[in-house]
Amino acid sequence: MAEPFGDQDKYVGMWVTADGHIRHELLPGGRYDEARGRQQSAYQGRYWLEGDHIEYVDDTGFTADGEFRSNVLYHAGMILYPER
């Protein structure tokens, strides 16, 4: 596992799919909380950044990753946009 580097809070905030079904909140300090539809906190865990690459480990041990490109988050087959 690579060590995090750089500004770990640069993408803090709410990221959502175009239809609003997935709401992925990146919290300061390296935690995240993901809601799906009406299910609040469907997934929770920690994250860290390696440049514009993000690594996740949820509280059950499941891992995932994603990439930020042009202020869009590509994660697990989803495309998420910053909530405005």
Side-chain angles (χ1 to χ4, degrees), residues 7-10 12 26-32 45-48:
D7 182 1
Q8 290 297 299
D9 288 337
K10 72 179 177 179
V12 163
L26 299 178
L27 303 165
R31 295 282 300 168
Y32 74 90
R46 63 186 177 90
Y47 74 90
W48 64 95

Side-chain angles (χ1 to χ4, degrees), residues 6 10 12 15 19-20 28 34 38 44 51 61 63 72-73 76 83:
K10 72 179 177 179
V12 163
W15 296 81
D19 64 3
E34 184 176 302
R38 293 185 179 157
Q44 296 177 310
T63 62
V72 175
L73 171 56
E83 186 173 68

Side-chain angles (χ1 to χ4, degrees), residues 15-51:
W15 296 81
V16 298
T17 54
D19 64 3
H21 183 73
I22 307 293
R23 295 171 311 285
H24 192 93
E25 185 173 14
L26 299 178
L27 303 165
R31 295 282 300 168
Y32 74 90
D33 189 308
E34 184 176 302
R36 291 184 173 234
R38 293 185 179 157
Q39 184 180 2
Q40 297 297 317
S41 300
Y43 298 97
Q44 296 177 310
R46 63 186 177 90
Y47 74 90
W48 64 95
L49 298 175
E50 299 166 6

